């Protein structure tokens, strides 16, 4: 099926009630997950997408590729959802577009969710998945990408890989990363998420952990030595200020950073790339960044 390019005001009007109902603090997390998975059935996959269900680090993963996918690199994708919701199904369309536009296989990890599995279960799963991927690729051939909570998890994973294993991913591609769950939003809500919902997710993820732990809040952790990083966020998001602060901190730490602030989109609008051309364009820019990081130098020279 072809993409549907809705005008942004129309797309926002359609999505607003869906998110208000689904991502609601009053709904139990299992119900939120079920509703999101049901809604994901309407997502459009690019023609030719190949979806394989595998396991990495002991957890289910979807490997998304195309017939012409290269073996020169891979992307480990960590989905968003406040560490409490989201799945391989909710992010399948986004990941398929990344796979098509990077030319590399994208592995979407089904990491354990809170509150059943609080911090640091998700990070442990991501670490194990990356290390198993290193049986097929070296660390510099694997980019890590994620959105919202998955963006924060991507940052925490890179920090852990460097500190524990001396391994640095090729790049980080972060869509509105939630890099410090301790921070309380200064507004009640944006189109997608609300302050009460985000606080409930933060508490569920922390469990009995220490909120001062930089592994829980990677914005406060060691940023020096991180790989080239791309951060995308819309100016209307609750996480906008946090993303601005993250970019400033990364640059102060000497990390090469590319930063894009969109106007008129919404939190992780890249998930709706099939509905709105500006969202598709943003996702295409992220794919281009990851493709350049993963493409061997000799191929870049030929291109």
């Amino acid at each position: 099926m072809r993409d549907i390019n809705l005008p942004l005001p129309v797309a926002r009007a359609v999505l607003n009630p869906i998110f208000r109902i689904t991502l609601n603090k009053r709904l139990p997390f299992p119900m939120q997950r079920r509703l999101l998975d049901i809604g994901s059935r309407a997502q459009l996959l690019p023609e030719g997408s190949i979806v394989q269900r595998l396991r990495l680090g002991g957890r289910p993963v979807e490997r998304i590729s195309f017939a012409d996918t290269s073996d020169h690199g891979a992307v480990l994708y960590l989905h968003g959802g406040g560490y409490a919701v989201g799945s391989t199904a909710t992010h399948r369309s986004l990941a398929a577009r990344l796979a098509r536009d990077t030319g590399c296989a994208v592995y979407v990890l089904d990491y354990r969710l809170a509150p059943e599995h609080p911090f640091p279960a998700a990070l442990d799963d991501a670490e194990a998945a990356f290390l198993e991927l290193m049986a097929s690729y070296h660390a510099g051939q694997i980019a890590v990408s994620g959105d919202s909570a998955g963006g924060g998890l991507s940052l925490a994973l890179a920090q852990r890989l460097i500190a524990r294993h001396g391994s640095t991913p090729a790049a980080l591609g972060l869509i509105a990363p939630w890099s410090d769950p301790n921070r309380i939003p200064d507004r009640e809500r944006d189109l997608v998420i609300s302050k009460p919902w985000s606080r409930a997710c933060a508490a569920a993820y922390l469990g009995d952990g220490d909120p001062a732990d930089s592994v829980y809040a990677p914005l406060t952790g060691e940023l020096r030595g991180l790989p080239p990083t791309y951060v995308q966020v819309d100016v209307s998001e609750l996480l906008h200020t946090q993303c601005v602060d993250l970019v400033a901190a990364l640059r102060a730490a000497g990390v090469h950073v590319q930063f894009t602030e969109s106007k008129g989109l919404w939190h992780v609008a890249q998930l709706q790339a099939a509905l709105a051309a500006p969202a598709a364009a943003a996702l295409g820019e992220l794919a281009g960044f990851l493709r350049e990081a993963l493409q061997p130098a000799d191929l870049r020279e030929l291109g």
Side-chain angles (χ1 to χ4, degrees):
M1 296 178 65
R2 282 189 170 187
D3 291 352
I4 303 168
N5 183 20
L6 294 176
L8 291 182
V10 175
R12 294 175 69 91
V14 170
L15 294 170
N16 184 43
I18 295 174
F19 289 127
R20 283 180 178 268
I21 293 170
T22 305
L23 303 182
N24 192 312
K25 179 186 177 182
R26 292 189 291 271
L27 275 184
F29 287 124
M31 179 61 71
Q32 295 181 40
R33 296 169 195 162
R34 193 170 302 116
L35 291 174
L36 288 170
D37 281 346
I38 291 172
S40 70
R41 297 172 187 171
Q43 292 187 8
L44 305 178
L45 293 183
E47 185 175 353
S49 301
I50 302 169
V51 181
Q52 298 171 282
R53 291 169 177 82
L54 310 170
R55 295 186 75 83
L56 274 180
R59 293 296 303 169
V61 68
E62 284 192 353
R63 180 186 189 273
I64 306 181
S65 62
F66 290 79
D68 59 351
T69 291
S70 168
D71 61 358
H72 64 248
V75 178
L76 177 62
Y77 195 88
L78 305 174
H79 69 77
Y83 296 105
V85 302
S87 68
T88 56
T90 59
H91 286 65
R92 189 175 295 136
S93 177
L94 184 157
R97 289 167 182 273
L98 279 183
R100 180 193 63 192
D101 295 344
T102 59
C104 298
V106 174
Y107 294 80
V108 187
L109 180 66
D110 183 18
Y111 58 84
R112 289 172 292 172
L113 298 176
E116 298 91 337
H117 304 283
F119 163 81
L123 180 56
D124 291 343
D125 291 346
E127 177 188 20
F130 190 98
L131 294 178
E132 187 166 332
L133 270 180
M134 286 179 62
S136 302
Y137 308 91
H138 62 72
Q141 292 177 305
I142 309 169
V144 180
S145 186
D147 62 279
S148 197
L153 185 58
S154 298
L155 182 62
L157 172 60
Q159 291 169 328
R160 177 177 280 192
L161 290 170
I162 292 169
R164 285 190 176 182
H165 307 285
S167 298
T168 305
L172 291 176
L174 311 179
I175 303 173
W178 194 24
S179 56
D180 187 354
N182 292 308
R183 290 200 181 188
I184 300 175
D186 55 8
R187 292 184 291 120
E188 191 65 19
R189 68 170 303 115
D190 58 29
L191 180 76
V192 178
I193 59 177
S194 68
K195 182 193 296 186
W197 181 81
S198 70
R199 300 318 302 153
C201 290
Y205 180 51
L206 180 62
D208 295 328
D210 179 3
D213 191 334
S214 63
V215 180
Y216 172 72
L219 173 56
T220 66
E222 179 58 74
L223 302 177
R224 289 173 298 179
L226 288 173
T229 300
Y230 187 16
V231 178
Q232 294 183 330
V233 69
D234 194 80
V235 297
S236 68
E237 299 187 45
L238 292 186
L239 291 176
H240 175 252
T241 300
Q242 189 171 134
C243 289
V244 170
D245 292 346
L246 171 62
V247 169
L250 287 168
R251 287 174 172 162
V255 179
H256 174 72
V257 182
Q258 184 172 330
F259 183 38
T260 299
E261 296 170 283
S262 60
K263 294 181 180 180
L265 291 175
W266 49 87
H267 184 58
V268 197
Q270 292 83 347
L271 283 170
Q272 288 80 43
L275 298 179
L283 186 55
E285 291 174 5
L286 175 61
F289 173 84
L290 296 175
R291 182 176 64 247
E292 184 174 352
L294 292 169
Q295 192 167 278
D298 55 344
L299 292 182
R300 289 201 299 269
E301 292 167 3
L302 289 174

